[in-house]
Amino acid sequence: MSADHASGLETQTGFRFAARTAGVRRSALREILKVTEMPEIISFAGGLPAPELFPVEELADAAQAVFRDEGAAALQYSTSEGHAPLREWVCEYLLETAGLSLAPDQVLIVSGSQQGLDLIAKVLIDPGDSVVCEDPAYLGALQAFRSYQAHVIGLPADSEGLRVDELRSLLRGAARRPKLLYLVTNFQNPTGTTLSAPRRREIAETAAEFGLPILEDDPYCSLRYEGDRMPALAASPGARDCLYLGTASKVLAPGLRVAWIAAPDRGVYERLVRAKQACDLHTASFNQRMVANYVRRPGVLAAHIARLCRIYGERRQAMLGALARELPPGSAWTHPRGGLFVWVRLPDTIDTETLLPEALRRRVAFVPGASFWTNGDVRSTLRLNFSNASPARIETGVRRLAEAIRCAHAYPSSGPEPVLEARL
Ligand SMILES: Cc1ncc(COP(=O)(O)O)c(C=O)c1O
């Protein structure tokens, strides 16, 4: 039997796939998003920022200024590390938002933090290495780690984030030290939970004690609607060997594909640069310069973030209020203080993957929770995004969701006549 056969990767042609592609599935989320693009569906599925809030005019002004003042350079190849003025600004932003003190030569501009995850996995993970994360975890990170044949270990988290007792007992018992601890510290995707200040300190100390490097992924830190900002885990006094990922996707626009890795370790930084060169040479020169121009306009970014927080904060309230009114007894959900997501646990008898077609018939979409769990075995959870619909649509959408749940309860297998034929 050929190696391809053994790994279930037979092809009809002469192509023979690399073994590392065997465990990589299409993201369930991307598949769901295709259906939910239909306008009649109220979608809580994507992690999408609201397009009507993109700063289109200001970015157009910035783009014009870049064409006018630095057009040829903006259209030329450029350095893999990234546009120097943008890296300088990232350092100022990280100091202000995360309490991280960095030099520009410790910042690598990447094409979305998703690329950052891939590059980090590429330089750190050998087949069979373990990566520890909280369970449930960001799907894109699980995909990136598994692409390099990592063994992902999900540990339980509670309302304060990853449980340190679980981390300690894993590390004490581990025959081989895991390669990385991956955490989304603010308003986690998918749960909306924030790692508390004491936990940040304890995790930093525990990881340092066991020689476990940390990857802190922090796309949502500026989208806070309640409470005070906390310094990053990587800025904790006991922290050692940290990588930190940030992005312009959630505060400006994801289509720009501008993000950054802060990597104070010289050896890691250098290897990331080489990996980036092999991947795409550099992040789009024009986009980097457009973002650099935009963020340097006095007061513009701060005003934009304040507006996002006000509007997303209202949407979050609308969703929390609607969930409290509509969901059946036995349901529970998180109360995120920022970010884009609420995480819901329905009564155990409900499988949210079976619930989804029922919900789509009622013109509302969500992401079933199973794909975020490292072993997919908690079937009654789901993720709701609240940033991409008005409060009125959120209320209608949650009402439709509650109807679908009642229906799934009453008709566990077939269900009544569909309200709208789902086009799956
Ligand atoms: C936790 C987390 N990390 C990374 C990303 C990817 O973001 P980017 O657009 O910067 O690639 C996302 C996007 O939803 C995310 O939620």
Side-chain angles (χ1 to χ4, degrees):
M1 192 190 285
S2 74
D4 283 351
H5 221 91
S7 58
L9 288 175
E10 317 88 62
T11 61
Q12 304 291 316
T13 64
F15 292 108
R16 291 182 304 136
F17 295 114
R20 68 175 169 278
T21 62
V24 183
R25 278 158 289 162
R26 273 175 92 98
S27 159
L29 216 146
R30 301 269 156 243
E31 299 301 304
I32 293 168
L33 289 183
K34 282 187 203 157
V35 182
T36 60
E37 273 162 14
M38 295 184 293
E40 66 270 29
I41 289 196
I42 297 179
S43 179
F44 301 137
L48 305 183
E52 72 277 16
L53 302 180
F54 291 155
V56 177
E57 276 179 29
E58 291 92 338
L59 282 170
D61 279 350
Q64 251 181 356
V66 170
F67 272 126
R68 191 185 58 231
D69 303 333
E70 40 189 328
L75 297 173
Q76 187 54 283
Y77 283 120
S78 60
T79 58
S80 302
E81 289 84 349
H83 183 50
L86 181 61
R87 292 157 75 205
E88 279 159 25
W89 171 79
V90 168
C91 291
E92 292 166 28
Y93 183 71
L94 292 185
L95 186 60
E96 181 194 325
T97 56
L100 286 169
S101 180
L102 291 149
D105 66 357
Q106 297 171 319
V107 171
L108 171 64
I109 303 297
V110 285
S111 306
S113 41
Q114 189 62 41
Q115 184 185 56
L117 290 166
D118 184 79
L119 296 179
I120 290 166
K122 193 176 184 177
V123 305
L124 294 181
I125 306 296
D126 281 320
D129 281 346
S130 348
V131 175
V132 182
C133 66
E134 58 207 304
D135 218 0
Y138 169 54
L139 201 54
L142 298 181
Q143 231 183 358
F145 300 143
R146 287 179 176 147
S147 300
Y148 293 94
Q149 297 170 282
H151 170 52
V152 181
I153 304 173
L155 292 181
D158 59 22
S159 59
E160 287 189 62
L162 182 80
R163 283 186 32 205
V164 187
D165 56 330
E166 296 279 352
L167 178 63
R168 289 195 81 84
S169 88
L170 175 88
L171 294 174
R172 271 205 210 100
R176 238 178 53 182
R177 191 171 5 127
K179 272 278 176 76
L180 202 59
L181 170 61
Y182 169 76
L183 290 173
V184 179
T185 42
N186 290 305
F187 325 122
Q188 194 240 22
N189 180 359
T191 63
T193 309
T194 294
L195 191 67
S196 71
R199 290 270 172 98
R200 286 176 196 230
R201 207 178 40 248
E202 288 171 59
I203 288 176
E205 285 165 5
T206 305
E209 181 186 329
F210 287 89
L212 174 65
I214 295 174
L215 168 53
E216 181 170 13
D217 184 5
D218 197 12
Y220 304 108
C221 69
S222 292
L223 298 180
R224 177 178 276 282
Y225 322 131
E226 190 188 313
D228 294 327
R229 186 178 273 168
M230 274 181 273
L233 167 58
S236 294
R240 253 196 354 233
D241 302 338
C242 293
L243 294 166
Y244 178 95
L245 266 175
T247 179
S249 288
K250 310 297 176 178
V251 289
L252 285 182
L256 294 168
R257 310 312 296 140
V258 171
W260 42 89
I261 307 176
D265 182 294
R266 275 325 300 158
V268 175
Y269 186 89
E270 184 49 39
R271 279 185 165 74
L272 287 171
V273 172
R274 288 181 214 168
K276 168 115 180 119
Q277 280 167 353
C279 180
D280 66 352
L281 299 180
H282 62 79
T283 294
S285 315
F286 188 87
N287 291 11
Q288 292 190 61
R289 286 169 188 262
M290 181 169 48
V291 172
N293 184 293
Y294 173 93
V295 295
R296 286 296 185 202
R297 295 168 176 240
V300 170
L301 178 65
H304 174 62
I305 290 176
R307 178 162 183 254
L308 288 182
C309 288
R310 181 172 52 75
I311 296 173
Y312 288 168
E314 287 163 7
R315 293 177 182 189
R316 176 196 67 146
Q317 269 328 100
M319 180 159 277
L320 292 176
L323 291 173
R325 282 193 301 280
E326 302 289 346
L327 286 198
S331 312
W333 55 92
T334 55
H335 288 247
R337 299 176 136 209
L340 307 183
F341 306 108
V342 176
W343 181 248
V344 179
R345 186 185 284 262
L346 295 174
D348 286 345
T349 48
I350 297 174
D351 180 334
T352 53
E353 275 179 9
T354 328
L355 178 67
L356 182 61
E358 198 63 66
L360 289 173
R361 282 189 201 101
R362 289 175 161 72
R363 295 163 292 152
V364 63
F366 60 84
V367 185
S371 18
F372 300 100
W373 294 94
T374 53
N375 55 15
D377 65 354
V378 184
R379 316 285 308 172
S380 61
T381 50
L382 59 101
R383 190 191 74 175
L384 298 175
N385 164 263
F386 55 77
S387 58
N388 201 20
S390 67
R393 270 174 80 80
I394 287 174
E395 281 164 23
T396 308
V398 172
R399 210 172 310 125
R400 290 178 186 172
L401 175 64
E403 277 166 27
I405 294 168
R406 279 195 291 277
C407 177
H409 247 332
Y411 304 90
S413 50
S414 57
E417 281 302 296
V419 176
L420 173 87
E421 216 42 68
R423 279 172 266 159
L424 277 169

